[in-house]
Amino acid sequence: MDARHATIPLQAPVPPSDLPERVEVAHAGGESYLITVRGHTLVAGQPEQAGGDDAGATPTELFVASLASCVAYYAGRFLSRHGASREGLRVSADFGLAADRPARVAAVRLRVTAPGLPAERRPAFLAVISRCTVHNSLRRPPEVVVELAGDA
């Protein structure tokens, strides 16, 4: 078999009971949901044009926000590690949805503003922020298992 058709062995799936982290999502009324993470609560919802009451960011917006905030975290750590200021650090994310099925985010553009970044550190900075945990998870997607609980 040539290299174009080589198979890559996958890791054995992790049983859900062995996964150490948890996020809980509960219906909050209408098209809104409360997300609880380690005692922190977020609201996800839908805008009015999608039948919601705009109580919070959409799940898709939270997905993109997760990527942008992960990049910002890595950027901030890099700046601090190299004695540069985080003042003015900002990440903007533009995204677009796919026109075809399945429904998904088709493209994300992140623009990082880091006024405290010395010019000679730019290549290393870009290398580090391009490898944040969320971005790495998109490059090598996790196995996702959807199950029905109880007597549903």
Side-chain angles (χ1 to χ4, degrees), residues 53-129:
D53 60 2
D54 207 19
T58 68
T60 305
E61 291 164 339
L62 291 171
F63 170 74
V64 175
S66 177
L67 175 59
S69 60
C70 191
V71 167
Y73 170 75
Y74 273 63
R77 297 285 298 196
F78 181 96
L79 292 171
S80 292
R81 216 173 25 254
H82 293 283
S85 173
R86 293 185 194 202
E87 188 70 33
L89 175 60
R90 179 179 200 86
V91 178
S92 298
D94 297 312
F95 68 98
L97 301 178
D100 61 343
R101 299 269 181 218
R104 67 196 182 281
V105 173
V108 178
R109 180 180 46 236
L110 301 171
R111 288 196 177 124
V112 180
T113 302
L117 179 65
E120 67 275 7
R121 297 268 187 210
R122 290 177 65 89
F125 180 74
L126 186 58
V128 167
I129 66 174

Side-chain angles (χ1 to χ4, degrees), residues 14-29:
V14 177
S17 61
D18 293 342
L19 299 173
E21 307 292 332
R22 173 162 288 193
V23 173
E24 293 283 342
V25 180
H27 185 243

Side-chain angles (χ1 to χ4, degrees), residues 21-28 33-44 62:
E21 307 292 332
R22 173 162 288 193
V23 173
E24 293 283 342
V25 180
H27 185 243
Y33 293 83
L34 294 179
I35 305 164
T36 305
V37 182
R38 294 182 302 103
H40 303 282
T41 302
L42 304 166
V43 177
L62 291 171

